[in-house]
Amino acid sequence: MAKSVHVIINDDLDGSEGAETVSFGFDGVSYEIDLSEKNRAKLEKAFTPFVEHGRRVTQRHRPSATRTTGPRIDRASIRTWAKEQGLQVSERGRISAEVIQKYEASH
């Protein structure tokens, strides 16, 4: 049986169909809104004087907090080892601390 799924994006302001997601930032916060062509034009018109007089800022990457964990571990090796040992481990995502400890103890 074949299924066909259609995603229709509606304008967040007036509910009209055919909207597209628009991203913008204000006061250090990023936003997204789904807008029709008409409402996107209104937003652009409202922003125009501010954009024309504003300064473009490139994204700054803030250094993340220093990692306190040890060296990087090979998660694929841990998963393979755990399966060979009959331990339950997911194909993706987090590996439990218990499985990691057992792996480290055996190596």
Side-chain angles (χ1 to χ4, degrees):
M1 172 171 58
K3 291 184 181 181
S4 180
V5 178
H6 297 275
V7 177
I8 299 172
I9 300 176
N10 294 328
D11 188 298
D12 288 333
L13 296 178
D14 63 18
S16 60
E17 292 183 3
E20 292 186 6
T21 302
V22 177
S23 301
F24 63 96
F26 179 73
D27 214 11
V29 180
S30 297
Y31 298 90
E32 285 188 344
I33 188 169
D34 299 324
L35 296 175
S36 65
E37 201 171 308
K38 180 180 95 175
N39 284 330
R40 180 187 175 115
K42 286 181 184 179
L43 179 67
E44 288 176 357
K45 184 177 180 182
F47 273 141
T48 297
F50 301 100
V51 171
E52 288 175 350
H53 292 90
R55 293 176 299 278
R56 185 176 209 115
V57 178
T58 58
Q59 293 227 341
R60 296 180 191 135
H61 296 284
R62 294 182 181 160
S64 60
T66 304
R67 295 180 71 133
T68 57
T69 59
R72 294 181 73 76
I73 56 174
D74 183 359
R75 295 187 186 329
S77 296
I78 295 173
R79 284 189 170 84
T80 302
W81 174 86
K83 289 177 187 174
E84 290 170 356
Q85 302 302 310
L87 299 172
Q88 190 172 10
V89 64
S90 64
E91 292 293 321
R92 296 178 14 194
R94 186 179 173 278
I95 300 173
S96 72
E98 181 183 358
V99 171
I100 293 173
Q101 287 171 348
K102 289 179 180 179
Y103 174 82
E104 289 173 343
S106 72
H107 286 82

